[in-house]
Every structure is written in C-alpha cells, then in structure tokens.
Amino acid sequence: MSEKKNMTGKENSFHMENFRRRSRYAAVFLVLILAFAAITVLNINSGNVNISIPEIFRILLRRTGEGKEYNIIWKIRLPRILMAAILGGALSLSGFLLQTFFENPIAGPFVLGISSGAKMVVALTMIFYLEWARNITSYTMIVAAFLGSLLSVGFILLMSRRIKNMAGGIMIGYICSAVTDFVVTFAEDSDIVNLHGWSQGSFSGMSWSNVAISAAVIGITFVITFLMAKPIGAYQLGEAYAQSMGVNIKVFRIALILLSSILSACVTAFAGPISFVGIAVPFLVKQSLGTSRPLVVIPGTFLGGAVFCMMCDLIARMAFAPLELSISTVTSIFGAPVVIFMMLRRKRG
C-alpha cells in the first residue's frame, strides 16, 4: 500500500514538474512573440516620417493608404524589418550549431572568424564581378559567402588539432578582415568603395527579392535543423551516447558545419558580418527557458535572435538620427557584456 502511495506521489511530482516546465516555455515564447510584434510596429513607426499606429495597421492589413506612407512602409521599412528578423534568427541558430559542434558556449561565427572569411570571399567576388559585369545576383553572394565560411571552418578544424582554444579562429578572423580592408581601401570604383559600409554590418537597402531569397534558404535550413533536434540532443550528452542511439557521428558533424555555414553565409552575404549575436542570444534563451533541449531551444533561439537584431537595428537607426550606426556596433554594446558574464561564470565554475 505504501509503495503504491509512493508511486502516486512520484507521478504527481513528475506531472507537476512537467507542467511547470511547459508553463515556463510558454511564458518565454509568449514574451518573445509580444516583443517581436511590439518592435515591428515601433520599427515601422520610427523614422524621418512618423506614421500613426492606426494608419500602419490600415496599410499593412488593407494595403491601402497615401502613396508616400504606403511606399515608406512596403518598400523601405518592412523589407528591412523582415530581413533583420530573418538574418538575426539565422545568426543565432548558426551560433547554437557551432556551440554544439565545438562543445563550447563561447563559439560563434563572428568569434571563430567564419563571418570574416565569408566577408573576404564576398568582397573579392563582388570586385571580380564589377570588373566584368555591372550586377551580381543574391545567389552568387550566398555561394561566395558559403565558400568563405567553409574555408574558415576548414582552417579552424586543422588548427584545432594543435590549438585547443579558439585563438586559431580569432587569428583567422583578423587575417580575413585585414585582407578585406586592404582590398576595399585601394578600390577605385564607387560601388566597391561602398563595400566599406557593408563590411561593418547593415540592414539598410533591403528589397523584397532579398527577403524572398533569404527566407527560402534560411527557412529550409531551419526546418532541417529542427528535424535534427533529437540527434543534437543525443550529441549534447556525449559522442558515445549519440552513437548508442544510432547517430552517425561523422555525418552528423559534417551536417552541423554545413548548416551553420549556410546560415552565417546568408547573413554575411546580405548584411555583412554581425558580432556577438551568435553567442549572446543562445545563452540568454537557454537561461530563460531553463533547458538545453534542442526541440525547444532551436525555435527559441531563432525567435530570440530575430527580436534582438530588430531591437539593435532600431537603435542603430534612431540613436543618433539622421546618422546611422553600423549594426555590429550596437550588437557589440549589448552582446559583449553577455559574453563577458559567460566567461566569468565559466571561470568561477
């Protein structure tokens, strides 16, 4: 009889704990969704031309309004907002995958030099194309950034056999950034000179074609990553456990690198390198959710990255308007303290 009561008590405790955990997940996602909606409206409403909130909803829902306000929302502000959300989510998810691969919470595409490698190859590709043609497609930019990401990852993996910390990736990042700055500095074509602004990171000048392409590429990558949630969870418990669960470690690690490279490549191709988002956001999301379960963390990280970059882009536009800050400047201000806190906490641990 007492055993039955103990079993019933354990079951009740389990169900109560499960309920609390799910309630916490729901609360975090609700806050992120509400923040996403609020920052979207605030982004649309902020600028040289103020548009009332009722007018914003009328233009968005009915797609009608005065020509000037309609064009500002649909052709300038909305594509930029959506790109900040999509690319911010991609960058955060890329950081999560790299942290899983390297088993290091400080790993991220910017710190490891992956974004710098992508930036270098994109800059060289743009210069080559502008010599022979006057336009370059978004797909070409993504492929160039993807190859640059893989190039950096290859060097990092080779160096990691001798250098166990992330110093190798940092040095690769500095080298790639130096090459890019050298090429941009001595360029004569005005279009190439404008690469300097892109190399600092910016969501300005986005179009609906950019939104469509990035949404397609990143959307497919997100779905594949989400479907890999179970093997990622097994891998977090150790390679031996993952193998016992039927995970092909070699194929799995290659998939992590490819998915992470695609995500960071899209961000670099369209917005340039953006710092600290891939490290800070996954950490904050895990702390908020109170779990590292990929099934929950993957969508949470993507949504958190979207909110974070939308907020930083709003600050970049409005803090010293009409002067606009680079997006990396703002993400560094908010992201770097989080990374410092992580390092101090690991040191204490």
Side-chain angles (χ1 to χ4, degrees), residues 63-74:
R63 300 198 65 170
T64 58
E66 295 183 12
K68 182 181 179 181
E69 294 177 342
Y70 179 90
N71 289 332
I72 287 174
I73 289 178
W74 280 100

Side-chain angles (χ1 to χ4, degrees), residues 76-309:
I76 300 175
R77 293 182 184 175
L78 199 56
R80 176 169 182 161
I81 294 165
L82 291 177
M83 283 297 282
I86 294 168
L87 298 183
L91 196 56
S92 301
L93 189 56
S94 175
F96 170 75
L97 293 174
L98 287 173
Q99 290 159 21
T100 302
F101 182 90
F102 289 102
E103 299 178 5
N104 190 333
I106 312 296
F110 187 83
V111 172
L112 289 173
I114 297 173
S115 295
S116 298
K119 178 180 74 171
M120 181 186 70
V121 176
V122 168
L124 293 174
T125 302
M126 291 178 74
I127 290 170
F128 174 79
Y129 263 81
L130 288 170
E131 279 190 28
W132 301 97
R134 298 311 303 172
N135 57 358
I136 180 170
T137 65
S138 299
Y139 294 107
T140 305
M141 296 267 283
I142 293 174
V143 171
F146 177 66
L147 294 176
S149 299
L150 289 182
L151 184 67
S152 295
V153 170
F155 277 112
I156 292 167
L157 293 177
L158 287 174
M159 295 179 69
S160 64
R161 296 179 180 180
R162 294 181 176 270
I163 305 175
K164 295 302 181 183
N165 55 31
M166 293 187 296
I170 295 170
M171 292 303 104
I172 289 171
Y174 277 122
I175 293 170
C176 292
S177 294
V179 172
T180 306
D181 292 341
F182 178 84
V183 170
V184 171
T185 299
F186 290 95
E188 295 182 359
D189 192 292
S190 59
D191 290 330
I192 300 175
V193 173
N194 288 334
L195 281 172
H196 181 71
W198 166 83
S199 67
Q200 300 300 313
S202 176
F203 292 120
S204 64
M206 298 298 178
S207 65
W208 282 107
S209 63
N210 297 147
V211 174
I213 294 169
S214 62
V217 175
I218 293 172
I220 293 171
T221 309
F222 173 84
V223 171
I224 295 172
T225 303
F226 187 76
L227 293 175
M228 290 177 59
K230 188 175 180 179
I232 290 174
Y235 186 79
Q236 288 176 339
L237 298 175
E239 289 189 12
Y241 179 79
Q243 285 180 326
S244 69
M245 295 295 291
V247 178
N248 186 322
I249 298 298
K250 186 175 181 180
V251 174
F252 175 78
R253 287 170 66 86
I254 291 173
L256 285 183
I257 284 296
L258 290 177
L259 291 171
S260 176
S261 297
I262 291 171
L263 292 169
S264 60
C266 278
V267 177
T268 307
F270 288 109
I274 301 174
S275 56
F276 292 107
V277 179
I279 303 176
V281 173
F283 171 76
L284 293 174
V285 169
K286 289 176 186 177
Q287 292 298 306
S288 300
L289 292 169
T291 183
S292 296
R293 291 181 60 196
L295 198 64
V296 182
V297 172
I298 288 172
T301 296
F302 193 92
L303 186 55
V307 171
F308 185 81
C309 280

